[in-house]
């Protein structure tokens, strides 16, 4: 049985939308193969669980009375709020009492807590997070890093490419993912020092299929399945794409393709490169988003994705 932990207090609409997500997931998955560890303030969460009529045999509520706010300093909050839902969830994950942890709370606190508690995999220099890229033909690409690593070295981009390739194969079911380097031109030698230095490393790595440089106009095409860049660039791309969706909504423009830019369509994103599965969700996640995050955590466990990561990275020698 898989035991998946969920931060019930994370997000702007917690805990009600987290409870809605739990109900959606359990209704869709009546088999008891997944047991949920719900982490949050018992006084707030239990009445909502009872109101939703959720089968008590499918979950365990773990009391965590403190909440790390969305705008609190991550390191300071983790130190001061030992009994927060984020701290409690990561501790349970470290102790092996849950097999995955999900939070739509303070992203910085989740990342810092994960790095300090469950730590990076041996051989991984920089864990990363990605975003799914909706492509015009209906398929899905992957962009990474999108904000964790604002400054990168060339070898970091190579590791992102390997992690992204394995994620695309196992989760997105892309048989032979092509990897592109986000750049300002197609030709080798284009770009800043990071791009110029990363290109030959990506080209010569036998664990990926490198297809060359990818320009901004190629992001939503099938030119590459996995696109790598530093987190500064990736976060700008992500926020710009989110703003396009928001503008279209405000202008009441409805288009089937652009509906795929809605973050709720995908759920959360895993932290790639840490020792245990951690899924991070958007702060304004609703019930359907939480349901997708729980499903994604289950898929990461079922595919043994982290074991495949470990097989592809050699621990650094002292």
């Amino acid at each position: 049985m898989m035991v998946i932990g969920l931060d019930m207090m994370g997000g702007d609409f917690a805990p009600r939308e987290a409870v809605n997500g739990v109900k959606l997931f359990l209704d869709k998955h009546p088999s008891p193969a997944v047991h949920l560890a719900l982490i949050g303030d018992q006084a707030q969460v239990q009445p909502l669980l009872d109101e939703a009529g959720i089968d008590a045999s499918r979950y365990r509520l773990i009391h965590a009375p403190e909440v790390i706010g969305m705008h609190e300093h991550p390191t300071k909050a983790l130190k001061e709020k030992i009994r927060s839902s984020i701290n409690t969830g990561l501790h349970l994950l470290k102790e092996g009492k849950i097999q995955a942890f999900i939070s739509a709370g303070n992203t910085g606190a989740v990342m810092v807590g994960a790095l300090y508690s469950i730590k990076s995999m041996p051989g991984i220099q920089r864990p990363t997070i990605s975003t799914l890229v909706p492509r015009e033909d209906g398929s899905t690409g992957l962009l990474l890093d999108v904000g964790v690593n604002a400054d990168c070295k060339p070898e970091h981009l190579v590791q992102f490419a390997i992690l992204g390739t394995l994620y695309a194969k196992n989760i997105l079911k892309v048989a032979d993912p092509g990897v592109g380097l986000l750049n300002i031109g197609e030709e080798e030698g284009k770009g800043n020092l990071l791009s110029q230095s990363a290109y030959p490393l990506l080209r010569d790595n036998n664990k990926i299929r490198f297809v060359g440089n990818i320009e901004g106009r190629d992001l939503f095409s099938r030119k590459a399945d996995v696109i790598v860049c530093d987190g500064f660039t990736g976060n700008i791309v992500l926020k710009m794409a989110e703003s396009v969706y928001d503008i279209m909504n405000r202008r009441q423009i409805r288009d089937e393709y652009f509906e795929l830019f809605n973050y709720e369509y995908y759920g959360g994103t895993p932290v790639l490169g840490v020792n245990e599965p951690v899924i991070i969700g958007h702060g304004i996640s609703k019930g359907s988003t939480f349901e997708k995050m729980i499903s994604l955590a289950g898929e990461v466990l079922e595919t043994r994705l982290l074991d495949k990561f470990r097989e592809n990275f050699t621990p650094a020698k002292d």
Side-chain angles (χ1 to χ4, degrees), residues 27-302:
D27 286 348
K28 286 185 179 181
H29 301 83
S31 168
V34 175
H35 191 79
L36 299 178
L38 309 181
I39 305 157
D41 182 0
Q42 189 169 8
Q44 295 186 56
V45 178
Q46 189 64 64
L48 295 174
L49 293 169
D50 295 340
E51 178 186 315
I54 295 173
D55 182 356
S57 69
R58 301 292 307 278
Y59 72 85
R60 175 169 59 111
L61 179 56
I62 298 165
H63 184 50
E66 296 177 316
V67 179
I68 294 177
M70 299 298 280
H71 301 293
E72 291 191 64
H73 188 278
T75 305
K76 184 172 183 287
L78 285 167
K79 288 180 179 178
E80 293 179 352
K81 295 184 174 180
I82 302 299
R83 301 182 67 196
S84 68
S85 52
I86 291 175
N87 254 328
T88 301
L90 291 170
H91 176 75
L92 292 169
L93 187 61
K94 179 183 178 181
E95 296 296 315
K97 294 177 180 177
I98 59 177
Q99 293 167 280
F101 176 60
I102 299 163
S103 178
N106 185 310
T107 299
V110 177
M111 282 297 306
V112 171
L115 291 173
Y116 274 97
S117 59
I118 58 175
K119 305 186 184 304
S120 301
M121 287 182 181
I124 298 286
Q125 297 178 30
R126 295 276 189 90
T128 178
I129 58 173
S130 63
T131 189
L132 296 176
V133 178
R135 299 189 290 200
E136 199 169 0
D137 66 354
S139 62
T140 304
L142 192 72
L143 175 70
L144 67 169
D145 183 277
V146 291
V148 174
N149 303 289
D151 296 299
C152 292
K153 296 179 180 179
E155 52 268 31
H156 298 154
L157 298 191
V158 175
Q159 291 201 341
F160 299 165
I162 297 170
L163 290 166
T165 292
L166 292 167
Y167 187 86
K169 284 182 178 179
N170 290 278
I171 303 299
L172 303 182
K173 308 304 180 187
V174 180
D176 185 25
V179 175
L181 173 63
L182 189 59
N183 209 332
I184 60 171
E186 294 182 348
E187 303 84 5
E188 182 175 356
K190 286 279 190 176
N192 57 14
L193 292 176
L194 173 62
S195 301
Q196 293 173 22
S197 300
Y199 190 104
L201 298 182
L202 292 163
R203 180 195 61 205
D204 298 338
N205 192 286
N206 61 12
K207 294 183 178 180
I208 62 172
R209 181 170 67 85
F210 184 54
V211 300
N213 287 326
I214 300 296
E215 294 184 272
R217 62 186 175 187
D218 301 315
L219 273 169
F220 306 110
S221 73
R222 295 205 69 151
K223 191 167 182 181
D225 302 293
V226 176
I227 302 168
V228 295
C229 61
D230 61 86
F232 183 89
T233 303
N235 192 263
I236 289 173
V237 172
L238 172 63
K239 296 299 173 60
M240 183 194 70
E242 289 180 347
S243 74
V244 169
Y245 175 75
D246 290 340
I247 290 170
M248 293 191 70
N249 261 350
R250 285 198 297 270
R251 297 176 71 88
Q252 298 184 335
I253 299 171
R254 295 291 176 262
D255 181 272
E256 184 178 355
Y257 170 64
F258 283 102
E259 284 300 312
L260 300 178
F261 283 70
N262 183 354
Y263 74 94
E264 290 191 46
Y265 187 80
Y266 302 104
T269 183
V271 182
L272 305 178
V274 293
N275 275 308
E276 302 293 343
V278 176
I279 311 292
I280 293 177
H282 203 295
I284 54 175
S285 293
K286 297 289 186 67
S288 61
T289 317
F290 281 102
E291 182 270 319
K292 289 181 176 70
M293 285 193 281
I294 301 169
S295 296
L296 175 59
E299 197 168 1
V300 169
L301 291 169
E302 286 175 351

